[in-house]
Amino acid sequence: MTLTNKSNILIINGHPDSASFNAALADAYATGALGSGAQVRRLNLAELAFNPNLSFGYRKRTELEPDLIRAQELIRWAHHLVFVYPTWWGAMPALLKGFIDRVFLPGFAFKYRENSVLWDKLLSGRTAHLLVTMDTPSWYNRLVYRNAGHIVMKKNILKFSGINPVRITEFTPIKPSTPEQRAKWLKKAKTLGEKKS
């Protein structure tokens, strides 16, 4: 899908601290996207009320809380999804994983085909961009950890649901970064928003 100036962009901040640098990156991206004419909506997962545990797996339905029903509505509305989150222990925070477990359900994100190993990708036609903060340097994450966390989010979750392409931008290392470096990263996030990429 080629995005236009009337694109619908949903920004999902997956950091459990709403005052984190991830929130600043989400703000910067939103500023750039709004300035270029996009329609932007936000989900700050730290502010939502929901149980992140898929208590019964797919054996028994767990009713969605109002915030998760709204999240599904926004995902359907969006042409482009932007996930902003840190990498902790090689992957996304538990809050974001729980959100995905509860929201990306059969019948919403995908549908298994009867007597088949194939499935229908119900979120096709959308694109995504992951803005990921890490303390691990990019080269180390790539060579030693094989980008494991990125692969789970990009391939096992988003592409499995039909969201493609999925781009990834890393901001790393966060812990030793200076105010000047963070200012450059915020400018980069704003530019990505302007390009709606």
Side-chain angles (χ1 to χ4, degrees):
M1 171 185 288
T2 301
L3 299 176
T4 69
N5 284 339
K6 296 183 179 178
S7 297
N8 297 341
I9 298 177
L10 175 61
I11 302 172
I12 299 173
N13 177 10
H15 199 296
D17 180 0
S18 57
S20 69
F21 183 65
N22 282 240
L25 287 171
D27 289 343
Y29 187 100
T31 297
L34 287 167
S36 66
Q39 298 293 315
V40 177
R41 300 289 183 271
R42 296 275 296 269
L43 283 175
N44 296 313
L45 300 192
E47 299 171 4
L48 304 187
F50 70 98
N51 179 355
N53 295 311
L54 187 62
S55 300
F56 307 103
Y58 297 149
R59 177 179 64 81
K60 178 180 174 182
R61 180 178 174 82
T62 302
E63 293 300 322
L64 293 176
E65 294 88 344
D67 281 346
L68 296 189
I69 292 172
R70 174 67 175 153
Q72 287 189 339
E73 291 171 351
L74 288 173
I75 291 169
R76 287 191 183 100
W77 166 85
H79 302 123
H80 187 56
L81 304 173
V82 179
F83 290 86
V84 187
Y85 60 93
T87 292
W88 291 344
W89 292 106
M92 68 194 78
L95 180 64
L96 177 55
K97 181 58 166 59
F99 173 82
I100 290 167
D101 286 348
R102 294 291 316 283
V103 170
F104 282 61
L105 296 170
F108 172 75
F110 65 95
K111 181 180 179 182
Y112 290 122
R113 298 177 186 175
E114 191 171 351
N115 300 318
S116 174
V117 297
L118 301 178
W119 67 99
D120 295 320
K121 301 177 179 183
L122 302 183
L123 296 179
S124 296
R126 292 165 181 81
T127 59
H129 199 143
L130 314 180
L131 307 186
V132 185
T133 59
M134 300 187 298
D135 286 330
T136 303
S138 292
W139 65 267
Y140 194 92
N141 188 55
R142 183 178 66 255
L143 295 177
V144 178
Y145 298 138
R146 307 285 185 174
N147 287 330
H150 295 344
I151 290 171
V152 168
M153 189 66 171
K154 180 176 182 176
K155 295 184 178 180
N156 298 62
I157 297 170
L158 298 179
K159 286 191 172 183
F160 182 91
S161 303
I163 300 170
N164 189 44
V166 178
R167 295 185 61 206
I168 302 172
T169 299
E170 297 175 345
F171 301 89
T172 184
I174 290 291
K175 189 174 182 179
S177 63
T178 63
E180 292 77 16
Q181 178 61 68
R182 293 190 177 206
K184 289 179 182 178
W185 286 335
L186 292 175
K187 184 177 180 181
K188 182 175 183 178
K190 181 174 182 287
T191 299
L192 291 172
E194 290 168 351
K195 295 177 179 179
K196 294 183 284 295
S197 66

